Amino acid sequence: MTTLVTGGAGYIGSHTVRQLVNAGRDVVVFDSLELGHREALLGAELVVGNIANQDLIASVCKKYGITEVIHFAAYKSVGESMSNPGRYFSNNVTGSMLLVEALTHAGVDKIVFSSSASVYGTPAEVPVREDAPLHPESVYAETKYMTERMLHWFSETHGMRSVSLRYFNAAGDSFDSLIGEDWSVTTNLVPVVMKATLGKRDALEVFGNDYPTRDGTGIRDYIHVVDLADAHVKALDYLAEGKPTIACNVGTGTGTTVLEVIQATERISGRKVPYVMSPRRAGDPVEVYADPAFAAQTLGWKAQFSLDDIISTAWQWHSTHIDGYTK
Ligand code: UD1
């Protein structure tokens, strides 16, 4: 029994690979290394390639006896998806389709998919449950939604069972700082706060302080990447028990404001976070956090780590890896 992890050299992928390897599982990573890092694998087996290469996927499945897959490989910049939609539909949707088709031909019948809470768009109510209406508000979110739907149909037609994990705001890094997020390719809040605090960029812009929230700034559900990795392991176990296709939130159930992230960073790092108030960012919902009950009930998964764990691991990682994996 071997698990293939596409995009396993990326941020969430590499933390998941590490957990699988530590649990004694056989793992093969499949990554183009366009955005991923070989060093993030800590020696795990790697095949370099593109998920759209069906012949290569077929030969990898045969060579390693692949029985299950975790599919992370995708582009994830919301802004870029709006300026270059073709790139996102091509890689995230067509690429996923070619991968899943090749997997079905190879006899693989279990897949865990890296989806996103952005499939809900601006939720009508919080906490967000899985049965909330889905209305993606970006090309990126649409590609996640389309892939979820495609997986639904491969499940119906070919018995390819899947768990789509709808991540809320992934953040934090490994507790021993051996692996972490590449801040050169992300615009997400926590790495941007770290970069500003370490003087590696201009002051953080806080996008909007006039929202109807406790301090006027936007509320999100920040989930530690190690918790997220654990959800993937639990999702594989769920599928191994023969259970049906589902889509599941992966969040903590707690909302945190932008200013609370800044305050936690100042307390933990002992430094001032340079920031300025800016206008709201177009398309940003006011408040998004998960109802994590379905994940607890179906996967037996619950977040273990706090905002302080996220900020302290992020601070530790970024302050010791100013140039990412190169130093
Ligand atoms: C974004 C994506 C979402 C994706 C998720 C994870 C958008 C609209 N949504 O979520 O689809 O699934 O990342 O990759 O891009 N903030 C600042 N200043 C900054 C950066 C962020 O104030 O420089 C604020 C935002 O306004 C928001 C919060 O911090 O309130 C989190 O932002 P971000 O990390 O970009 O994540 P989301 O926008 O929630």
Side-chain angles (χ1 to χ4, degrees):
M1 210 171 90
T2 303
T3 312
L4 184 70
V5 184
T6 76
Y11 169 48
I12 304 172
S14 60
H15 286 83
T16 304
V17 167
R18 194 173 180 199
Q19 247 175 66
L20 290 167
V21 169
N22 287 348
R25 306 209 188 193
D26 292 324
V27 177
V28 177
V29 172
F30 189 92
D31 200 295
S32 68
L33 296 185
E34 181 190 342
L35 297 168
H37 299 273
R38 192 184 289 273
E39 301 91 315
L41 297 176
L42 303 175
E45 181 88 22
L46 169 69
V47 175
V48 179
N50 191 297
I51 52 169
N53 185 341
Q54 292 193 315
D55 291 340
L56 184 57
I57 293 290
S59 73
V60 167
C61 287
K62 194 163 171 220
K63 178 174 174 197
Y64 294 99
I66 301 300
T67 49
E68 56 189 15
V69 174
I70 307 180
H71 175 36
F72 291 102
Y75 294 141
K76 63 167 188 177
S77 163
V78 174
E80 186 193 38
S81 79
M82 301 303 277
S83 56
N84 196 349
R87 183 172 152 85
Y88 278 69
F89 287 120
S90 171
N91 189 47
N92 295 9
V93 182
T94 308
S96 294
M97 188 278 286
L98 291 167
L99 168 72
V100 172
E101 189 181 46
L103 294 174
T104 57
H105 289 155
V108 176
D109 61 359
K110 298 181 280 297
I111 184 165
V112 176
F113 172 58
S114 176
S115 188
S116 162
S118 62
V119 296
Y120 298 115
T122 302
E125 51 184 60
V126 285
V128 192
R129 285 165 40 125
E130 286 80 355
D131 56 6
L134 303 182
H135 44 85
E137 291 169 3
S138 67
V139 170
Y140 162 78
E142 186 75 37
T143 66
K144 293 295 175 182
Y145 172 71
M146 289 171 78
T147 306
E148 280 198 15
R149 293 305 301 159
M150 188 177 70
L151 287 171
H152 161 79
W153 286 111
F154 270 97
S155 177
E156 292 286 310
T157 60
H158 284 72
M160 165 72 93
R161 289 175 300 111
S162 59
V163 176
S164 291
L165 295 176
R166 294 176 179 161
Y167 311 153
F168 283 68
N169 291 64
D173 300 277
S174 63
F175 283 85
D176 57 8
S177 295
L178 274 184
I179 59 173
E181 187 169 14
D182 178 354
W183 70 15
S184 67
V185 296
T186 172
T187 55
N188 290 130
L189 180 65
V190 172
V192 168
V193 167
M194 298 300 146
K195 215 169 180 174
T197 309
L198 287 161
K200 298 298 273 187
R201 54 157 283 153
D202 294 342
L204 165 77
E205 284 185 70
V206 176
F207 297 138
N209 64 348
D210 57 352
Y211 284 112
T213 61
R214 49 187 175 268
D215 60 22
T217 64
I219 291 183
R220 296 290 183 274
D221 186 338
Y222 298 93
I223 170 87
H224 199 287
V225 68
V226 172
D227 274 329
L228 263 183
D230 182 45
H232 292 79
V233 179
K234 296 238 164 42
L236 286 179
D237 292 343
Y238 166 94
L239 290 171
E241 288 165 15
K243 292 177 177 165
T245 293
I246 52 169
C248 196
N249 288 341
V250 193
T252 65
T254 301
T256 301
T257 70
V258 176
L259 286 179
E260 286 163 355
V261 169
I262 292 172
Q263 286 151 10
T265 306
E266 293 190 334
R267 181 166 39 79
I268 287 164
S269 69
R271 298 198 190 181
K272 288 307 263 184
V273 176
Y275 67 90
V276 293
M277 292 300 178
S278 290
R280 295 180 180 192
R281 181 171 67 178
D284 261 354
V286 181
E287 184 175 24
V288 186
Y289 60 93
D291 181 334
F294 187 61
Q297 184 196 322
T298 52
L299 305 181
W301 173 89
K302 197 173 173 300
Q304 306 293 320
F305 302 114
S306 64
L307 181 69
D308 276 14
D309 292 320
I310 288 175
I311 300 301
S312 56
T313 55
W315 175 251
Q316 186 65 29
W317 162 257
H318 288 294
S319 56
T320 55
H321 294 78
I322 292 280
D323 297 310
Y325 284 102
T326 56
K327 288 263 164 63

